[in-house]
Amino acid sequence: MRKLLRRGAAAFAAAASLVLISLGATPAQADSSAIPSGMTWTVLAKGTDGTLRVGADSATDAYNGDTAATATLPMLCLRVNGSAVPSGITPDFYAGWARGTVAATPPVLGKSLTSRAAADAICARYYGADWREAEFHDGRYGANLEASGGWSFWAYGYVPDGTRFWTAIDDQPANPWN
């Protein structure tokens, strides 16, 4: 009986996948066993004035996510408060200035990050209403920091070395909620 039920469940899952694909879903989206992944960043450098550079490294996949949403990791949070660029940092596209402070939350289950709003709410719960999840494009550069870059940014703050943390990306499906 169990064998028959398992075969029936497998057949149902296969049929559901075919229906989803016929409706335009990709095979990965149609695979009910596919686990969403989220993009993660790490600390890349530390300045002498309380600044640090966070961003993508060789493990980061900004296009599909690099860590299964079943993982439990800290989130990178940001409070933009208009902080001026400190001396010694020259913002550019790949290492902009975030105009604020970063901090990491205690570890969070990726599957609990069901939307950008849910992620932002976790940062606000730990650090205050003006905090949100950091995003791939938060680094700013140019004469008046008018341009937005990507891949990493500098900010004030502290996050632990050697730790990966969930970081949002708004223009790719590389978040745990995608």
Side-chain angles (χ1 to χ4, degrees), residues 32 68 109:
S32 61
L109 178 64

Side-chain angles (χ1 to χ4, degrees), residues 2 7 15 17 32 43 56 64-65 67 70 73 91 96 111 113 119 123 128 134 147:
R2 284 186 189 153
R7 276 195 231 150
S17 292
S32 61
V43 175
N64 303 297
T67 303
T70 55
L73 299 171
K111 290 195 301 186
L113 304 175
C123 289

Side-chain angles (χ1 to χ4, degrees), residues 99-173:
R99 302 167 297 157
T101 304
V102 291
T105 66
V108 174
L109 178 64
K111 290 195 301 186
S112 71
L113 304 175
T114 57
S115 67
R116 179 63 190 263
D120 290 348
I122 292 170
C123 289
R125 183 173 59 227
Y126 281 106
Y127 298 112
D130 53 348
W131 287 78
R132 62 172 172 78
E133 185 178 21
E135 199 271 338
F136 181 92
H137 301 95
D138 277 327
R140 309 293 295 184
Y141 69 101
N144 296 307
L145 301 177
E146 73 279 356
S148 174
W151 298 102
S152 77
F153 61 75
W154 287 92
Y156 288 108
Y158 171 79
V159 291
D161 289 336
T163 301
R164 302 202 70 74
F165 29 83
W166 302 115
T167 305
I169 184 164
D170 290 341
D171 62 352
Q172 297 295 326

